[in-house]
Structure formats: C-alpha cells, structure tokens
Amino acid sequence: MNPLLLVIMVVFAVAAILTVIRIVIGPSILDRAVAADVLLTEVMCVLGADMAINHHTRTLPVLIVVAAVGVFGSISVARYVARRDNTPS
C-alpha cells in the first residue's frame, strides 16, 4: 500500500470517528444531518484520493452512488424539518 494513501486514510479515519461522535451526540436532527453529510464527504474524499494515487477509476460508480445518497438524504431531512416546523403547536 502506498504510504501517502495510508496517511490519508488515518487522517480521514480520525475525522470519521469525530463525525460519528457528532452523529450520536446530536443534539438536534439538523446536527446529525450535517454530520452525516460530512461523513459521506469524507468517504468520497478517501475514494477520490485512492483513485488519484493509484491511477484507476474502478471505484467511480461507488463514488457516484455515495454522492447521490448524500444529496437525497439531505433533501429528505430538509423536507422533514420544514414540514415539522410548519405544523401548528
């Protein structure tokens, strides 16, 4: 394994652990949604770094699917929060 890729993976692993802590702690659904977006972005960055360092495009479909999940997840949470805020109390 390339030493540069190993360093990148360690740095992103620490960031992912901190992001998962934010997802668990919360406190609001929007904090969790932003943290989930950050986690998906970290996964995308690791996949992109792997593709750039090893000069391949085998994981490009995975990268596209992860990006789509992130977009659709953000839209779903935004619609849920907007609908919840518009209900009379």
Side-chain angles (χ1 to χ4, degrees):
M1 179 179 271
N2 191 335
L4 179 60
L5 186 60
L6 186 64
V7 170
I8 290 171
M9 287 182 153
V10 168
V11 169
F12 277 110
V14 171
I17 290 169
L18 294 173
T19 305
V20 169
I21 291 171
R22 173 51 60 192
I23 290 173
V24 171
I25 292 175
S28 72
I29 191 169
L30 293 177
D31 292 330
R32 290 182 171 101
V34 169
D37 283 342
V38 169
L39 187 60
L40 287 174
T41 303
E42 290 169 1
V43 169
M44 290 171 49
C45 288
V46 168
L47 289 172
D50 175 51
M51 288 191 311
I53 290 171
N54 294 324
H55 305 289
H56 69 83
T57 58
R58 290 184 303 263
T59 55
L60 189 61
V62 176
L63 193 67
I64 292 170
V65 168
V66 169
V69 167
V71 168
F72 293 134
S74 297
I75 291 170
S76 299
V77 170
R79 289 184 61 132
Y80 171 75
V81 170
R83 190 174 298 148
R84 189 182 66 180
D85 288 344
N86 288 335
T87 58
S89 348

Coordinates of all heavy atoms in Angstrom, one line a residue:
M1 N 0.8 -1.2 0.0 CA 0.0 0.0 0.0 C 0.9 1.2 0.0 O 1.9 1.3 0.7 CB -0.9 0.0 1.2 CG -1.8 1.2 1.3 SD -3.0 1.2 2.7 CE -4.3 0.3 2.0
N2 N 0.4 2.2 -0.7 CA 1.2 3.5 -0.8 C 1.2 4.2 0.5 O 0.2 4.3 1.2 CB 0.5 4.3 -1.9 CG 1.3 5.5 -2.3 OD1 2.1 6.0 -1.5 ND2 1.0 6.0 -3.5
P3 N 2.4 4.7 1.0 CA 2.4 5.3 2.3 C 1.6 6.6 2.3 O 1.0 7.0 3.4 CB 3.9 5.7 2.5 CG 4.6 5.0 1.4 CD 3.7 4.5 0.4
L4 N 1.5 7.3 1.2 CA 0.7 8.5 1.2 C -0.8 8.2 1.4 O -1.5 8.9 2.2 CB 0.9 9.3 -0.1 CG 0.1 10.6 -0.3 CD1 0.4 11.6 0.8 CD2 0.3 11.1 -1.7
L5 N -1.2 7.1 0.8 CA -2.6 6.7 0.9 C -2.9 6.3 2.4 O -4.0 6.5 2.9 CB -3.0 5.6 0.0 CG -4.4 5.1 -0.1 CD1 -5.3 6.3 -0.5 CD2 -4.6 4.0 -1.0
L6 N -1.9 5.7 3.0 CA -2.1 5.2 4.4 C -2.2 6.4 5.3 O -3.1 6.5 6.2 CB -0.9 4.4 4.8 CG -0.9 3.8 6.2 CD1 -2.1 2.8 6.3 CD2 0.4 3.1 6.5
V7 N -1.4 7.5 5.1 CA -1.5 8.7 5.9 C -2.9 9.4 5.7 O -3.6 9.8 6.6 CB -0.4 9.7 5.5 CG1 -0.6 11.1 6.2 CG2 0.9 9.1 6.0
I8 N -3.4 9.4 4.4 CA -4.7 10.0 4.1 C -5.8 9.2 4.8 O -6.7 9.8 5.4 CB -4.9 10.1 2.6 CG1 -4.0 11.1 2.0 CG2 -6.3 10.4 2.3 CD1 -4.0 11.1 0.5
M9 N -5.7 7.9 4.8 CA -6.7 7.1 5.4 C -6.7 7.3 7.0 O -7.8 7.3 7.6 CB -6.5 5.6 5.1 CG -6.9 5.3 3.7 SD -6.7 3.6 3.4 CE -7.9 3.3 2.1
V10 N -5.6 7.4 7.6 CA -5.5 7.6 9.0 C -6.1 9.0 9.4 O -6.9 9.1 10.3 CB -4.1 7.5 9.5 CG1 -3.9 8.0 10.9 CG2 -3.6 6.1 9.4
V11 N -5.8 10.0 8.6 CA -6.4 11.3 8.9 C -7.9 11.3 8.7 O -8.6 11.8 9.6 CB -5.7 12.4 8.0 CG1 -6.5 13.7 8.0 CG2 -4.3 12.6 8.3
F12 N -8.4 10.7 7.7 CA -9.8 10.6 7.5 C -10.5 9.7 8.4 O -11.7 9.9 8.8 CB -10.1 10.3 6.0 CG -10.1 11.4 5.1 CD1 -9.1 11.5 4.2 CD2 -11.1 12.4 5.2 CE1 -9.1 12.6 3.3 CE2 -11.0 13.5 4.3 CZ -10.0 13.6 3.4
A13 N -9.8 8.7 8.9 CA -10.4 7.8 10.0 C -10.6 8.6 11.3 O -11.7 8.4 11.9 CB -9.5 6.6 10.2
V14 N -9.7 9.4 11.6 CA -9.8 10.2 12.8 C -11.0 11.2 12.6 O -11.8 11.4 13.5 CB -8.5 11.0 13.2 CG1 -8.8 12.0 14.3 CG2 -7.4 10.0 13.6
A15 N -11.1 11.8 11.5 CA -12.2 12.7 11.2 C -13.5 12.0 11.2 O -14.5 12.5 11.7 CB -12.0 13.4 9.9
A16 N -13.5 10.7 10.7 CA -14.8 10.0 10.7 C -15.2 9.6 12.1 O -16.4 9.6 12.4 CB -14.6 8.7 9.8
I17 N -14.3 9.3 12.9 CA -14.6 8.9 14.3 C -15.2 10.1 15.0 O -16.3 10.0 15.7 CB -13.4 8.4 15.1 CG1 -13.0 7.1 14.6 CG2 -13.6 8.4 16.6 CD1 -11.6 6.6 15.1
L18 N -14.6 11.3 14.8 CA -15.2 12.5 15.4 C -16.6 12.8 14.8 O -17.5 13.3 15.5 CB -14.2 13.7 15.2 CG -12.9 13.6 15.9 CD1 -12.0 14.7 15.5 CD2 -13.1 13.6 17.4
T19 N -16.8 12.6 13.6 CA -18.1 12.8 12.9 C -19.1 11.8 13.5 O -20.3 12.3 13.7 CB -17.9 12.7 11.4 OG1 -16.9 13.5 10.9 CG2 -19.2 13.0 10.7
V20 N -18.8 10.6 13.6 CA -19.7 9.6 14.2 C -20.1 10.0 15.6 O -21.3 9.9 16.0 CB -19.1 8.2 14.1 CG1 -20.0 7.2 15.0 CG2 -19.0 7.7 12.7
I21 N -19.1 10.5 16.4 CA -19.5 11.0 17.7 C -20.5 12.2 17.6 O -21.5 12.2 18.4 CB -18.2 11.5 18.5 CG1 -17.3 10.3 18.8 CG2 -18.5 12.3 19.7 CD1 -15.9 10.6 19.3
R22 N -20.4 13.1 16.7 CA -21.3 14.1 16.5 C -22.7 13.6 16.1 O -23.7 14.1 16.5 CB -20.8 15.1 15.5 CG -21.8 16.2 15.1 CD -22.4 17.0 16.2 NE -21.5 17.6 17.1 CZ -21.8 18.1 18.3 NH1 -23.0 18.1 18.8 NH2 -20.8 18.7 19.0
I23 N -22.7 12.5 15.3 CA -24.0 11.9 14.9 C -24.7 11.3 16.1 O -25.9 11.5 16.3 CB -23.8 10.9 13.8 CG1 -23.4 11.5 12.5 CG2 -25.0 10.0 13.6 CD1 -23.0 10.6 11.4
V24 N -23.9 10.7 17.0 CA -24.5 10.0 18.2 C -25.0 11.1 19.2 O -26.1 11.0 19.7 CB -23.5 9.1 18.8 CG1 -24.0 8.6 20.1 CG2 -23.2 7.9 17.8
I25 N -24.1 12.1 19.4 CA -24.5 13.1 20.5 C -25.6 14.0 20.0 O -26.5 14.4 20.8 CB -23.2 13.9 20.8 CG1 -22.2 13.0 21.5 CG2 -23.5 15.1 21.7 CD1 -20.9 13.6 21.9
G26 N -25.6 14.4 18.8 CA -26.7 15.3 18.3 C -26.4 16.8 18.6 O -25.4 17.3 18.1
P27 N -27.2 17.5 19.2 CA -28.4 17.2 19.9 C -29.7 17.3 19.0 O -30.7 16.7 19.3 CB -28.5 18.3 21.0 CG -27.8 19.4 20.4 CD -26.7 18.8 19.5
S28 N -29.6 18.0 17.9 CA -30.8 18.1 17.0 C -30.6 17.3 15.8 O -29.5 16.8 15.4 CB -31.0 19.6 16.6 OG -30.0 20.0 15.7
I29 N -31.7 17.1 15.1 CA -31.7 16.3 13.8 C -30.9 17.0 12.8 O -30.2 16.4 11.9 CB -33.1 16.0 13.3 CG1 -33.1 15.0 12.2 CG2 -33.8 17.3 12.9 CD1 -34.4 14.4 11.8
L30 N -30.8 18.3 12.8 CA -30.0 19.1 11.8 C -28.5 18.9 12.0 O -27.8 18.7 11.1 CB -30.4 20.5 11.8 CG -31.8 20.9 11.3 CD1 -32.1 22.3 11.4 CD2 -32.0 20.4 9.9
D31 N -28.1 18.8 13.3 CA -26.7 18.5 13.6 C -26.3 17.1 13.1 O -25.3 16.9 12.5 CB -26.5 18.6 15.1 CG -26.6 19.9 15.7 OD1 -26.3 20.9 15.0 OD2 -27.0 20.1 16.9
R32 N -27.2 16.2 13.3 CA -27.0 14.8 12.8 C -26.9 14.8 11.3 O -26.1 14.0 10.7 CB -28.0 13.9 13.4 CG -27.9 13.7 14.9 CD -28.9 12.7 15.4 NE -28.7 12.3 16.7 CZ -29.3 12.8 17.8 NH1 -30.3 13.7 17.6 NH2 -29.0 12.4 19.0
A33 N -27.8 15.5 10.6 CA -27.8 15.5 9.2 C -26.5 16.1 8.6 O -26.0 15.6 7.6 CB -29.0 16.3 8.7
V34 N -26.1 17.2 9.2 CA -24.8 17.8 8.7 C -23.7 16.9 9.0 O -22.8 16.7 8.1 CB -24.6 19.2 9.4 CG1 -23.2 19.7 9.2 CG2 -25.7 20.2 9.0
A35 N -23.7 16.2 10.1 CA -22.6 15.3 10.4 C -22.6 14.1 9.4 O -21.6 13.6 9.0 CB -22.7 14.8 11.9
A36 N -23.8 13.6 9.1 CA -23.9 12.5 8.1 C -23.4 13.0 6.8 O -22.7 12.2 6.0 CB -25.3 12.0 8.0
D37 N -23.7 14.2 6.4 CA -23.2 14.7 5.1 C -21.6 14.8 5.1 O -21.0 14.5 4.2 CB -23.7 16.1 4.8 CG -25.2 16.1 4.3 OD1 -25.6 15.0 3.8 OD2 -25.8 17.1 4.4
V38 N -21.1 15.3 6.3 CA -19.6 15.3 6.4 C -19.0 13.9 6.3 O -18.0 13.8 5.7 CB -19.3 16.0 7.8 CG1 -17.8 15.9 8.1 CG2 -19.7 17.5 7.7
L39 N -19.7 12.9 6.9 CA -19.2 11.6 6.9 C -19.2 11.0 5.4 O -18.2 10.4 5.0 CB -20.0 10.7 7.8 CG -19.5 9.3 8.0 CD1 -18.1 9.3 8.5 CD2 -20.4 8.5 8.8
L40 N -20.2 11.3 4.7 CA -20.3 10.9 3.3 C -19.2 11.6 2.5 O -18.6 11.0 1.6 CB -21.7 11.1 2.7 CG -22.7 10.1 3.2 CD1 -24.1 10.5 2.7 CD2 -22.4 8.7 2.8
T41 N -19.0 12.9 2.8 CA -18.0 13.6 2.1 C -16.6 13.1 2.4 O -15.7 13.0 1.4 CB -18.1 15.1 2.4 OG1 -19.4 15.6 2.2 CG2 -17.0 15.9 1.7
E42 N -16.4 12.7 3.6 CA -15.1 12.0 3.9 C -14.9 10.7 3.2 O -13.8 10.5 2.7 CB -15.0 11.8 5.4 CG -14.9 13.1 6.2 CD -15.1 12.9 7.7 OE1 -15.3 11.7 8.1 OE2 -15.0 13.9 8.5
V43 N -15.9 9.9 3.1 CA -15.8 8.7 2.3 C -15.5 9.0 0.8 O -14.7 8.3 0.2 CB -17.1 7.9 2.4 CG1 -17.2 6.7 1.5 CG2 -17.3 7.4 3.9
M44 N -16.2 10.0 0.3 CA -15.9 10.4 -1.1 C -14.5 10.9 -1.3 O -13.9 10.5 -2.3 CB -16.9 11.5 -1.5 CG -18.3 11.0 -1.7 SD -19.5 12.3 -1.9 CE -18.8 13.2 -3.2
C45 N -14.0 11.6 -0.3 CA -12.6 12.1 -0.4 C -11.6 10.9 -0.4 O -10.6 11.0 -1.1 CB -12.3 13.1 0.7 SG -13.1 14.7 0.5
V46 N -11.8 10.0 0.5 CA -10.9 8.8 0.5 C -11.0 8.0 -0.8 O -9.9 7.6 -1.3 CB -11.3 7.9 1.7 CG1 -10.5 6.6 1.7 CG2 -10.9 8.6 3.0
L47 N -12.2 7.8 -1.3 CA -12.3 7.1 -2.6 C -11.6 7.9 -3.7 O -10.9 7.3 -4.6 CB -13.8 6.8 -2.9 CG -14.5 5.8 -2.1 CD1 -16.0 5.8 -2.4 CD2 -13.9 4.4 -2.3
G48 N -11.8 9.2 -3.7 CA -11.2 10.0 -4.7 C -9.6 10.0 -4.6 O -8.9 10.0 -5.6
A49 N -9.1 10.1 -3.4 CA -7.7 10.0 -3.2 C -7.1 8.7 -3.6 O -6.1 8.6 -4.2 CB -7.4 10.3 -1.7
D50 N -7.9 7.6 -3.3 CA -7.4 6.3 -3.8 C -7.3 6.2 -5.3 O -6.4 5.7 -5.8 CB -8.4 5.2 -3.2 CG -8.0 3.8 -3.7 OD1 -6.9 3.4 -3.6 OD2 -9.0 3.2 -4.3
M51 N -8.4 6.8 -5.9 CA -8.4 6.7 -7.4 C -7.2 7.6 -8.0 O -6.6 7.2 -8.9 CB -9.7 7.3 -8.0 CG -10.8 6.3 -7.8 SD -12.3 6.7 -8.7 CE -12.6 8.4 -8.3
A52 N -6.9 8.7 -7.4 CA -5.9 9.6 -7.9 C -4.5 9.0 -7.6 O -3.6 9.1 -8.5 CB -6.0 11.0 -7.2
I53 N -4.3 8.5 -6.5 CA -3.0 8.0 -6.1 C -2.6 6.7 -6.9 O -1.5 6.5 -7.4 CB -2.8 7.7 -4.6 CG1 -2.8 9.1 -3.9 CG2 -1.6 6.9 -4.3 CD1 -2.9 9.0 -2.4
N54 N -3.6 5.8 -7.0 CA -3.4 4.5 -7.7 C -3.7 4.5 -9.2 O -3.7 3.5 -9.9 CB -4.2 3.4 -7.0 CG -3.6 3.2 -5.6 OD1 -2.5 3.3 -5.4 ND2 -4.5 2.9 -4.7
H55 N -4.1 5.7 -9.7 CA -4.4 5.8 -11.1 C -5.4 4.8 -11.7 O -5.1 4.1 -12.6 CB -3.1 5.8 -12.0 CG -2.0 6.7 -11.5 ND1 -2.2 8.1 -11.7 CD2 -0.9 6.5 -10.8 CE1 -1.1 8.7 -11.2 NE2 -0.3 7.7 -10.7
H56 N -6.6 4.8 -11.1 CA -7.6 3.9 -11.6 C -9.0 4.6 -11.4 O -9.1 5.6 -10.7 CB -7.6 2.6 -10.9 CG -8.0 2.6 -9.4 ND1 -9.3 2.6 -9.0 CD2 -7.3 2.7 -8.3 CE1 -9.4 2.7 -7.7 NE2 -8.2 2.8 -7.3
T57 N -10.0 4.0 -12.0 CA -11.4 4.5 -11.9 C -12.3 3.4 -11.5 O -13.5 3.5 -11.8 CB -11.8 5.2 -13.2 OG1 -11.7 4.2 -14.3 CG2 -11.0 6.4 -13.6
R58 N -11.9 2.4 -10.9 CA -12.7 1.3 -10.6 C -13.8 1.6 -9.5 O -14.9 1.1 -9.5 CB -11.9 0.1 -10.0 CG -11.1 -0.6 -11.1 CD -10.4 -1.8 -10.4 NE -9.5 -1.4 -9.3 CZ -8.2 -1.2 -9.3 NH1 -7.6 -1.3 -10.5 NH2 -7.6 -0.9 -8.3
T59 N -13.5 2.6 -8.7 CA -14.4 2.9 -7.6 C -15.3 4.1 -8.0 O -16.0 4.7 -7.1 CB -13.7 3.2 -6.3 OG1 -12.7 4.2 -6.5 CG2 -13.1 1.9 -5.7
L60 N -15.2 4.6 -9.2 CA -16.1 5.7 -9.6 C -17.5 5.5 -9.5 O -18.3 6.4 -9.0 CB -15.7 6.1 -11.1 CG -16.3 7.4 -11.6 CD1 -15.9 8.6 -10.7 CD2 -16.0 7.6 -13.0
P61 N -18.1 4.3 -9.8 CA -19.5 4.1 -9.6 C -19.9 4.1 -8.1 O -21.0 4.7 -7.8 CB -19.8 2.6 -10.1 CG -18.7 2.4 -11.1 CD -17.5 3.2 -10.6
V62 N -19.0 3.7 -7.2 CA -19.3 3.8 -5.8 C -19.3 5.2 -5.4 O -20.2 5.7 -4.6 CB -18.2 3.0 -5.0 CG1 -18.4 3.2 -3.5 CG2 -18.3 1.5 -5.4
L63 N -18.4 6.0 -5.9 CA -18.3 7.4 -5.6 C -19.6 8.1 -6.0 O -20.2 9.0 -5.3 CB -17.1 8.0 -6.3 CG -16.7 9.4 -5.9 CD1 -16.2 9.4 -4.5 CD2 -15.6 9.9 -6.8
I64 N -20.1 7.8 -7.2 CA -21.4 8.4 -7.7 C -22.6 8.0 -6.8 O -23.4 8.9 -6.5 CB -21.6 8.0 -9.1 CG1 -20.5 8.7 -10.0 CG2 -23.0 8.4 -9.6 CD1 -20.5 8.2 -11.4
V65 N -22.6 6.8 -6.4 CA -23.7 6.3 -5.5 C -23.7 7.0 -4.2 O -24.7 7.4 -3.6 CB -23.7 4.8 -5.4 CG1 -24.7 4.3 -4.3 CG2 -24.1 4.1 -6.7
V66 N -22.5 7.1 -3.6 CA -22.4 7.8 -2.3 C -22.8 9.3 -2.4 O -23.4 9.8 -1.5 CB -20.9 7.7 -1.8 CG1 -20.7 8.6 -0.6 CG2 -20.6 6.2 -1.4
A67 N -22.4 9.9 -3.5 CA -22.8 11.3 -3.7 C -24.3 11.4 -3.8 O -24.9 12.3 -3.3 CB -22.1 11.9 -4.9
A68 N -25.0 10.5 -4.5 CA -26.4 10.5 -4.7 C -27.1 10.3 -3.4 O -28.1 11.0 -3.1 CB -26.8 9.5 -5.7
V69 N -26.6 9.4 -2.6 CA -27.2 9.1 -1.3 C -27.1 10.4 -0.4 O -28.0 10.7 0.3 CB -26.5 7.9 -0.6 CG1 -26.8 7.8 0.9 CG2 -26.9 6.6 -1.3
G70 N -26.0 11.0 -0.4 CA -25.8 12.3 0.3 C -26.8 13.3 -0.1 O -27.4 14.0 0.8
V71 N -27.0 13.5 -1.4 CA -27.9 14.6 -1.8 C -29.3 14.2 -1.5 O -30.1 15.1 -0.9 CB -27.7 14.8 -3.4 CG1 -28.9 15.6 -3.9 CG2 -26.4 15.4 -3.7
F72 N -29.7 13.0 -1.7 CA -31.1 12.6 -1.4 C -31.4 12.6 0.1 O -32.5 12.9 0.5 CB -31.5 11.3 -2.1 CG -31.5 11.3 -3.6 CD1 -30.9 10.3 -4.3 CD2 -32.1 12.4 -4.2 CE1 -30.9 10.4 -5.7 CE2 -32.1 12.4 -5.6 CZ -31.5 11.4 -6.3
G73 N -30.4 12.2 0.8 CA -30.6 12.2 2.3 C -30.7 13.7 2.8 O -31.6 13.9 3.7
S74 N -29.9 14.6 2.3 CA -30.1 16.0 2.7 C -31.4 16.6 2.4 O -32.0 17.3 3.2 CB -28.9 16.8 2.1 OG -27.7 16.4 2.5
I75 N -31.9 16.2 1.2 CA -33.2 16.7 0.7 C -34.3 16.2 1.6 O -35.2 16.9 2.0 CB -33.4 16.4 -0.7 CG1 -32.5 17.2 -1.6 CG2 -34.9 16.6 -1.1 CD1 -32.5 16.8 -3.1
S76 N -34.2 14.9 2.0 CA -35.2 14.3 2.8 C -35.3 14.9 4.2 O -36.3 15.2 4.7 CB -34.9 12.8 2.9 OG -35.0 12.2 1.7
V77 N -34.1 15.1 4.8 CA -34.1 15.7 6.1 C -34.6 17.1 6.1 O -35.4 17.6 6.9 CB -32.6 15.7 6.7 CG1 -32.5 16.5 7.9 CG2 -32.3 14.2 7.0
A78 N -34.2 17.9 5.0 CA -34.7 19.3 4.9 C -36.2 19.3 4.8 O -36.9 20.2 5.4 CB -34.0 20.0 3.7
R79 N -36.8 18.4 4.0 CA -38.2 18.4 3.8 C -38.9 18.0 5.1 O -40.0 18.5 5.5 CB -38.6 17.4 2.7 CG -38.2 18.0 1.3 CD -38.7 17.0 0.3 NE -40.2 16.9 0.4 CZ -41.0 17.1 -0.6 NH1 -40.5 17.2 -1.8 NH2 -42.3 17.0 -0.5
Y80 N -38.3 17.0 5.9 CA -38.9 16.6 7.1 C -38.9 17.8 8.1 O -39.9 18.0 8.8 CB -38.1 15.4 7.7 CG -38.5 15.0 9.1 CD1 -39.7 14.4 9.3 CD2 -37.7 15.4 10.2 CE1 -40.1 14.1 10.6 CE2 -38.0 15.0 11.4 CZ -39.2 14.4 11.7 OH -39.6 14.1 13.0
V81 N -37.8 18.5 8.2 CA -37.7 19.6 9.2 C -38.6 20.7 8.8 O -39.3 21.3 9.7 CB -36.2 20.0 9.3 CG1 -36.1 21.3 10.1 CG2 -35.4 18.9 10.0
A82 N -38.7 21.0 7.5 CA -39.6 22.1 7.1 C -41.0 21.7 7.3 O -41.8 22.6 7.8 CB -39.4 22.3 5.6
R83 N -41.4 20.5 7.1 CA -42.8 20.1 7.4 C -43.1 20.1 8.9 O -44.2 20.4 9.3 CB -43.0 18.7 6.8 CG -44.5 18.3 6.8 CD -44.7 17.0 6.1 NE -44.3 17.1 4.7 CZ -43.8 16.1 4.0 NH1 -43.6 14.9 4.5 NH2 -43.5 16.3 2.7
R84 N -42.1 19.6 9.7 CA -42.3 19.6 11.1 C -42.4 21.0 11.7 O -43.2 21.3 12.6 CB -41.1 18.9 11.8 CG -41.4 18.7 13.3 CD -40.2 18.0 13.9 NE -39.0 19.0 13.8 CZ -37.9 18.7 14.3 NH1 -37.6 17.5 14.8 NH2 -36.9 19.6 14.2
D85 N -41.7 22.0 11.1 CA -41.7 23.4 11.6 C -43.0 24.1 11.2 O -43.4 25.0 11.9 CB -40.5 24.2 11.1 CG -39.2 23.8 11.7 OD1 -39.3 23.1 12.8 OD2 -38.2 24.1 11.2
N86 N -43.7 23.6 10.2 CA -44.9 24.3 9.7 C -46.2 23.8 10.4 O -47.2 24.3 10.2 CB -45.1 24.1 8.2 CG -44.1 25.0 7.4 OD1 -43.6 26.0 7.9 ND2 -43.8 24.6 6.2
T87 N -46.1 22.7 11.2 CA -47.3 22.2 11.9 C -47.6 23.1 13.0 O -46.7 23.5 13.8 CB -47.0 20.7 12.3 OG1 -45.9 20.7 13.2 CG2 -46.8 19.8 11.2
P88 N -48.9 23.4 13.2 CA -49.3 24.2 14.4 C -49.1 23.5 15.7 O -49.3 22.3 15.8 CB -50.7 24.5 14.1 CG -51.2 23.5 13.2 CD -50.0 23.0 12.4
S89 N -48.6 24.2 16.7 CA -48.4 23.6 18.0 C -49.6 23.7 19.0 O -50.3 24.5 19.0 CB -47.2 24.1 18.7 OG -46.3 24.8 18.1

